[in-house]
Amino acid sequence: MELRHLDTLLAIADEGSFTPAADALATVQSNVSEQVRQLETELGVPLLVRGRRGAEPTEFGAVVLDRARRVRRELEAMRTDLSMLQGLEAGHARIGVVGTASRWLVPALVADLRDRAPGVRLRVNEGASERLFAEVLDGELAQAVVTEPVTDRRLEVEHLLDEGLVGLVAADVELPPEPVPFAALAALPMVLPPEANPLRIEVETVATAQGLTLHVPVEVEGIRLIADLVAASGYASVLPETAIPPELANVRAVVIAGMPPRRLAVVNARDVQMSLADRAVRESVVRLVTPRGVPPEAVAGGVPSSASGGAQ
């Protein structure tokens, strides 16, 4: 097996059929067909099925394509590492950050890399944890800062930080004195992330343990939008302290009795070797996301003063 065999298979998958793949590879269709035949002979399985819509991968072909993409990513990472060591070009790092942490983590990360690794080009994907899990496993991202729990055994997990979860309500909503019983919040209509979201799972777990049923008429994936909805309606929510925009008016954050903290972790795929650029980013993240590295309001146990009683 040679890399050209895998390149040919990838080109067919990307282009949809043999003829466009040949054009993309600057060769003729007979060469493409021969490369596929050689690969199928060596592996002993059919990789592609030709049909009216072009060439479709078989079950075996899908497995080989997945591995071929990983091989290509590893080769590119190797070239990048060597270039960085030789000082020839900048490395390219790819990280995902859950929306509840991006507001304070990403600016700090960019500033830190500017000083420590100015040659690193950084790509940041912001999204829900469950989406970032998939992007790391697919190889689109090298790593991601997500909310625990992480149950997929294909992901390697490094815990970073415990952060307090607080109740968020409109400023004029009446609640018992702090720490507010969770039942008082659960009595209000709530806006929360979708059910598969780790934060939603944590909140539902607490509700179940207390024999409570949550009324969630609105589900929103974007955490920052949740805070805006709370400010504009009579809904309540439960959010990490640092996810509450400091400029948001007409809301107040309250300590919830018996509410466990939100746990942040950084994850990467177990079977993928990270590049030097990605490792530089990992070092910055781990160093920044500690009780000494994050803003004071990010440390579990306190409520941001800017959110309590409205923006100041």
Side-chain angles (χ1 to χ4, degrees):
M1 184 187 305
E2 299 180 17
L3 287 175
R4 60 193 176 95
H5 294 126
L6 299 180
D7 286 340
T8 298
L9 191 65
L10 288 169
I12 295 171
D14 291 340
E15 300 297 331
S17 65
F18 282 63
T19 300
D23 293 338
L25 295 170
T27 186
V28 295
Q29 182 177 336
S30 59
N31 285 342
V32 170
S33 298
E34 178 61 18
Q35 297 291 338
V36 173
R37 187 195 66 76
Q38 292 176 6
L39 189 57
E40 289 180 327
T41 299
E42 178 168 349
L43 296 176
V45 293
L47 301 177
L48 296 169
V49 175
R50 297 196 194 200
R52 298 178 62 183
R53 297 184 177 180
E56 296 285 339
T58 64
E59 180 182 3
F60 304 108
V63 172
V64 176
L65 282 167
D66 179 64
R67 292 293 181 177
R69 291 188 178 97
R70 295 187 187 188
V71 168
R72 271 294 159 203
R73 287 196 294 267
E74 287 297 316
L75 287 172
E76 184 60 32
M78 178 184 68
R79 294 189 182 99
T80 298
D81 283 354
L82 294 176
S83 295
M84 288 187 68
L85 287 173
Q86 295 174 312
L88 299 179
E89 63 181 61
H92 187 194
R94 301 156 298 140
I95 189 170
V97 182
V98 68
T100 50
S102 62
R103 183 177 62 84
W104 56 267
L105 176 56
V106 173
L109 176 60
V110 170
D112 191 62
L113 289 174
R114 185 182 300 141
D115 293 335
R116 294 180 57 252
V120 170
R121 292 171 292 150
L122 182 64
R123 170 186 163 187
V124 179
N125 283 14
E126 181 185 82
S129 293
E130 56 270 29
R131 193 185 87 200
L132 297 178
F133 294 154
E135 291 178 352
V136 170
L137 290 171
D138 289 344
E140 184 176 345
L141 298 174
Q143 57 195 327
V145 176
V146 298
T147 302
E148 297 185 71
V150 181
T151 58
D152 196 314
R153 294 182 179 275
R154 294 173 295 174
L155 292 171
E156 190 171 274
V157 184
E158 180 178 354
H159 177 68
L160 293 174
L161 175 73
D162 286 354
E163 178 187 10
L165 293 176
V166 298
L168 190 68
V169 295
D172 58 354
V173 171
E174 294 186 6
L175 290 173
E178 298 184 61
V180 175
F182 185 55
L185 283 173
L188 300 170
M190 303 193 79
V191 52
L192 291 171
E195 292 183 351
N197 183 277
L199 175 60
R200 174 69 175 273
I201 293 172
E202 291 294 311
V203 175
E204 292 281 4
T205 298
V206 173
T208 300
Q210 297 186 21
L212 302 171
T213 300
L214 302 180
H215 175 45
V216 187
V218 179
E219 294 181 338
V220 177
E221 183 177 284
I223 297 296
R224 283 177 285 189
L225 179 56
I226 289 178
D228 291 331
L229 287 173
V230 170
S233 68
Y235 292 158
S237 190
V238 177
L239 294 175
E241 296 167 308
T242 54
I244 303 171
E247 70 278 4
L248 193 62
N250 302 319
V251 298
R252 62 189 177 108
V254 296
V255 176
I256 306 172
M259 177 62 67
R262 188 270 291 264
R263 295 169 59 83
L264 282 180
V266 59
V267 300
N268 59 274
R270 290 186 180 276
D271 60 350
V272 174
Q273 182 70 26
M274 287 197 296
S275 69
L276 287 177
D278 288 315
R279 275 179 269 168
V281 171
R282 177 68 156 262
E283 291 173 3
S284 289
V285 167
V286 171
R287 189 166 48 81
L288 290 168
V289 186
T290 64
R292 275 182 280 180
V294 300
E297 66 267 25
V299 181
V303 178
S305 59
S306 58
S308 181
Q312 298 179 12

